Amino acid sequence: MNKLPQLPQYKQIYEDLRTQIASGAYIPGDKLPSEHGLSIKYNVARLTVRKALEQLASDELIVRHQGKCSVVKGTPKGIGILSLMSTTTALDSTNLTTRITMKPELRSWNEAFTFSIEPQEEAAGCIYFERLRLIDEAPVFYDITMLPNINLPHFLNYDMENKSLFDTLRTKYQIVVTGGVQQIFAIRADQRLQKSFNISAAHPVLQLNRKIDTSRSGFHIYSQVFCVTQRYGLIGTF
């Protein structure tokens, strides 16, 4: 197990088991090792293992049977098409790559894609960056993201190339996505989108404006995603 610095032991175990479920090492219907077996594997107390399993069950990744075993229920869902993990799963592709078209930088808030900004978020300023996501080398998503610059030490130094933002926030800062609201529009591609997607001016593009809730009070993720979907359907829950 690759230990994650600054995470409690149960969180490290949770992340390791979650990764194994997401990668297919455990598939739906598989039984996880017993609490006793996991405590030996990770060299921790059973209570620590139990806390990790309870978190997996809370996230609906496993079903716990009291006194018996834990059975894998499914893979991490993400929220709709909000994460790279859920996008990859929905599109059934291992060839999804992410290119950073604008590295994270500090800015003041001018707007947040039609959504209202919390006062503490506006006062702290925002971290702004842009990404292009490709499947089999074909551009499918263009992402603009704004995060409140609140207790995110070293974020500007992290390499987000081919990384999931949600996974980074969860593992580095223990910020978990809990829900949100998204607005969906059909638009015509402007010059930037024409160049990014290699499409004509008349090409239809799907635009999603999103305000995403998290487990940290007063901390939201604001993003705008542009999609070309003639080759892929978008699947997910929200």
Side-chain angles (χ1 to χ4, degrees), residues 13-14 16-18 20-21 25-27 29-38 41-42 49 52-54 56-57 61-64 68-73:
I13 296 169
Y14 162 84
D16 191 54
L17 292 173
R18 188 183 195 277
Q20 292 184 62
I21 294 171
Y26 291 111
I27 63 174
D30 281 353
K31 294 180 181 178
L32 295 182
S34 66
E35 287 185 6
H36 178 67
L38 290 171
K41 175 181 178 181
Y42 294 112
V49 168
L53 294 175
E54 287 172 351
L56 290 169
L61 299 177
I62 65 171
V63 176
R64 301 202 67 202
K68 294 183 180 180
C69 62
S70 298
V71 178
V72 174
K73 182 177 179 181

Side-chain angles (χ1 to χ4, degrees), residues 111-166:
E111 50 85 30
F113 314 124
T114 73
F115 295 111
S116 59
I117 306 166
E118 304 296 327
Q120 63 268 35
E121 295 176 330
E122 185 172 11
C126 79
I127 297 173
Y128 179 101
F129 57 98
E130 299 185 9
R131 301 175 291 172
L132 180 66
R133 299 192 239 178
L134 305 93
I135 299 173
D136 298 324
E137 295 301 314
V140 177
F141 299 96
Y142 195 94
D143 241 319
I144 302 172
T145 302
M146 294 191 291
L147 306 173
N149 186 30
I150 302 174
N151 295 327
L152 296 177
H154 311 301
F155 186 90
L156 295 179
N157 298 325
Y158 286 126
D159 179 11
M160 295 299 294
E161 196 87 2
N162 293 321
K163 299 292 192 304
S164 164
L165 171 62
F166 289 1

Side-chain angles (χ1 to χ4, degrees), residues 196-213:
S196 298
F197 291 128
N198 192 26
I199 56 179
S200 67
H203 198 291
V205 175
L206 193 66
Q207 174 184 316
L208 296 92
N209 295 346
R210 307 169 304 170
K211 181 177 182 178
I212 303 166
D213 302 326

